[in-house]
Structures are given as structure tokens and as C-alpha cells.
Amino acid sequence: MDLLRHLRHFVVVAHELHFGRAAELLGMAQPPLSQSIQRLERELTVELFDRSRRQVRLTTAGELLLGEAEELLAGEGRLRSLMGQVRAGELGVLRAGVPPETPAVTLRALLDGLTTRAPGLDVELHELTTAEQTRMLTERNLDVGLVHHPVEADGLRFGAAVDVPLGVLLPRTSPLARGREVPLASLADLDLVAAPRATAPGWHDHLLGVCRRYGWRPARVRPARNPEFLFGLVLAGGGVAVEPATVARREPRIAWRPIADAPLAKRTSAAWPDRSAHPAAPMFAQLAAEVLADAEPAPPASADPPSVPAARPWPVLFDTTG
């Protein structure tokens, strides 16, 4: 028995006290409505309407049931609305991962956007490398994350990717900083300062592959997990880093120069499990792509013209086959 359907019929009849008008409001014929009320009475083993006179009246049982039925139906409506919000990804807890180097302004924009689009969503943000996110997504310990490509993992879906142009970070006192661009081959005697391979194996291998292809075989790769340590190694001399221009803006003693012969970009996108995905994952992915696309503004005018990248297209050297 569909109790809620019969209760909805009962409530309309109880308010109208007329089966014909109630049937018209419900968009059904009167005989099926009468049968629905009779079935409800049999189920509850009470009479709900006094039909002994020309005017339909509620019995004592009917009067008591009316308040309970309205409350129950209102609760059903709230429940359906709640579940609809959950399906839309507007409620619940979203476990999201972001790379450790994500700038504060990017995190703020991402969280503000999530609050605007889904104010009832509780976002648990975790600082995780691409490798950590990939593992946790595969194990279903994370709902969605921002990863650096290429990513080798089965069972994941990816959102729209954003390519951020990269350049060389070097001390402003370096002779290489005098030019507007830096060929990779001119870095032949220098170390590469980069995140450890374990944090994003696919990206690490791709970066080294591009460097070798364009004439730079770093003497060694010096690992740096956070920007401050990276700056320290670069300023100490003997090493350079390949990073977005926004990274250089954190340290005035560091210059950023575009790569002359091999324009290179870091590709980032959201990733989430392709099965039993969190309803909010696609929304997070779309918002993240928008935020990341806006996170690399045009370099501001400054007294140091060489630090401003020349206007040029940025083809992406991205050969995932190695």
C-alpha cells in the first residue's frame, strides 16, 4: 500500500469536504478517489469521514489523522528536498585535495566559490601531492583533488585541464636574468631545483624529458618541497627552477624568464573516482578550472622590463608517451 499517496488524497478531501472538488484538485476521477479513501480506512481500521448526511464531515479519527498526515507529508517534502540537495552536491562533506604549492589567493577563491555555489557543503581541504591524491582517490579516501598531469591511474575521471606557462627561476644577479628569455641549453651546467619525483612522478619525468630534449641535462636534481626552500636553493647559486611566474612574485630577489626554445606548461585538472563519485565532484572540477585559469594574471608593469614575459602563444610540450 502506498500510504503517503492515500494520505495525500485524504488531506485534500479533508480540507474540501467534498469528493468532487477534491478529485478535481487532484486531477483524478471521483470513483478512484473514493476507493483510495476507503482503502486507507480499511488499512487504519477506522472511519475517517461521516457520509451519513449530504455533507461530508470528518470523524473524530479523521480530525486526529489530519494533523498527523499533514506533518508526515511535510516531512516527506523536506526529506525529498534534502536528498535532492545531496544529489546535486549541495550538502554533505566533500573531501578535497590540493597541491601543497597552491597559492593562498587561489585557495581563497576556490573556497569562496564553493561557499557561493553550495553553501550547505562542508569542504574538508587537504594539502596533498599528486601522488598522494592519486592513491587516496583510488582507495576512495578522497572525493576529488587537483593533480598535475600526466597521471597514470585507472578508475579516475578528469575535469577540464588548465595549462599554466612555466619559465626559469634564477637569481636577479645571474647573467642569464639579463635576457628576456632563457634557452634550456644555456642551463647545461646548472642543477634543477624541483619537487621530489615521489610527489608527482608523471610530471617529474615529463619535465626532465623536455629538458633533455632541448639540450639541458641537469647535473643533478635537487628536491624542494616548499617555495621557501626552493628560493633558498636558487639564491644559493648553482641551481634554477622551472615554475609559473606567480611563484617568483613571492621573492623579490628571484627573476622569472620565459623559456626561449621550448615553451613549457604545467597541466592541472581536478580528478575524482569514475564510480560512486561524490555528487559535488563535477562542480568542484568546473570551479577549480575557472579559478586556476584566473590565477595566472598578466604580469604587471614594473621597473624591471626583462621580468615581463613577451606576448606570445604558449604551445604545450606534453608528450605523455615519454
Side-chain angles (χ1 to χ4, degrees):
M1 177 184 179
D2 188 348
L3 179 61
L4 292 176
R5 179 170 66 87
H6 294 302
L7 287 175
R8 279 191 288 270
H9 294 168
F10 162 74
V11 168
V12 176
V13 176
H15 283 294
E16 294 298 321
L17 294 177
H18 191 284
F19 278 82
R21 290 196 300 269
E24 185 176 351
L25 289 173
L26 289 167
M28 61 189 299
Q30 183 173 336
L33 176 59
S34 297
Q35 294 170 9
S36 176
I37 298 300
Q38 290 169 5
R39 184 170 182 182
L40 180 62
E41 289 177 325
R42 289 197 301 271
E43 181 71 20
L44 301 178
T45 64
V46 294
E47 289 188 358
L48 301 173
F49 295 99
D50 182 357
R51 305 175 181 82
S52 61
R53 304 178 182 180
R54 292 183 178 180
Q55 184 179 5
V56 177
R57 299 180 63 181
L58 284 169
T59 64
T60 300
E63 291 176 349
L64 293 173
L65 178 62
L66 180 58
E68 295 293 334
E70 289 178 327
E71 184 176 344
L72 182 60
L73 292 173
E76 182 212 14
R78 291 191 297 271
L79 180 62
R80 290 184 180 276
S81 175
L82 184 67
M83 293 301 101
Q85 289 178 286
V86 172
R87 287 195 304 273
E90 299 173 356
L91 288 179
V93 177
L94 178 70
R95 301 167 300 176
V98 295
E101 71 274 12
T102 305
V105 291
T106 301
L107 289 177
R108 175 65 183 273
L110 183 59
L111 290 173
D112 285 350
L114 289 169
T115 299
T116 299
R117 299 189 185 190
L121 187 66
D122 183 11
V123 181
E124 290 184 359
L125 211 56
H126 301 272
E127 184 184 32
L128 300 166
T129 66
T130 291
E132 291 170 334
Q133 291 184 57
T134 302
R135 174 179 54 79
M136 293 179 67
L137 288 168
T138 303
E139 296 172 351
R140 300 297 194 271
N141 292 323
L142 196 68
D143 298 314
V144 66
L146 290 178
V147 298
H148 299 315
H149 292 263
V151 175
E152 297 182 4
D154 296 327
L156 295 182
R157 295 182 60 186
F158 299 95
V162 176
D163 294 325
V164 177
L166 303 181
V168 178
L169 298 186
L170 63 164
R172 287 191 179 275
T173 56
S174 169
L176 292 171
R178 298 171 186 169
R180 296 190 66 89
E181 298 177 328
V182 176
L184 286 179
S186 67
L187 306 175
D189 296 329
L190 298 174
D191 296 339
L192 171 64
V193 181
R197 183 180 184 278
T199 63
W203 165 249
H204 188 275
D205 293 346
H206 168 68
L207 174 60
L208 287 179
V210 172
C211 291
R212 289 192 295 266
R213 192 183 314 163
Y214 285 84
W216 179 28
R217 292 182 176 272
R220 58 175 174 166
V221 179
R222 304 169 70 177
R225 289 182 175 271
N226 64 74
E228 293 301 321
F229 190 66
L230 180 145
F231 294 151
L233 292 180
V234 170
L235 290 172
V240 298
V242 178
E243 296 289 342
T246 50
V247 176
R249 297 190 182 106
R250 305 183 193 183
E251 172 51 66
R253 293 171 295 175
I254 293 288
W256 184 89
R257 299 292 181 267
I259 300 172
D261 50 0
L264 183 65
K266 179 176 285 189
R267 178 166 296 171
T268 304
S269 79
W272 64 96
D274 61 359
R275 294 185 179 180
S276 303
H278 193 290
M283 180 267 291
F284 178 95
Q286 179 181 355
L287 176 61
E290 296 171 4
V291 170
L292 290 174
D294 293 336
E296 189 72 19
S302 70
D304 186 10
S307 68
V308 181
R312 60 182 293 176
W314 287 95
V316 180
L317 294 175
F318 212 83
D319 180 7
T320 58
T321 63

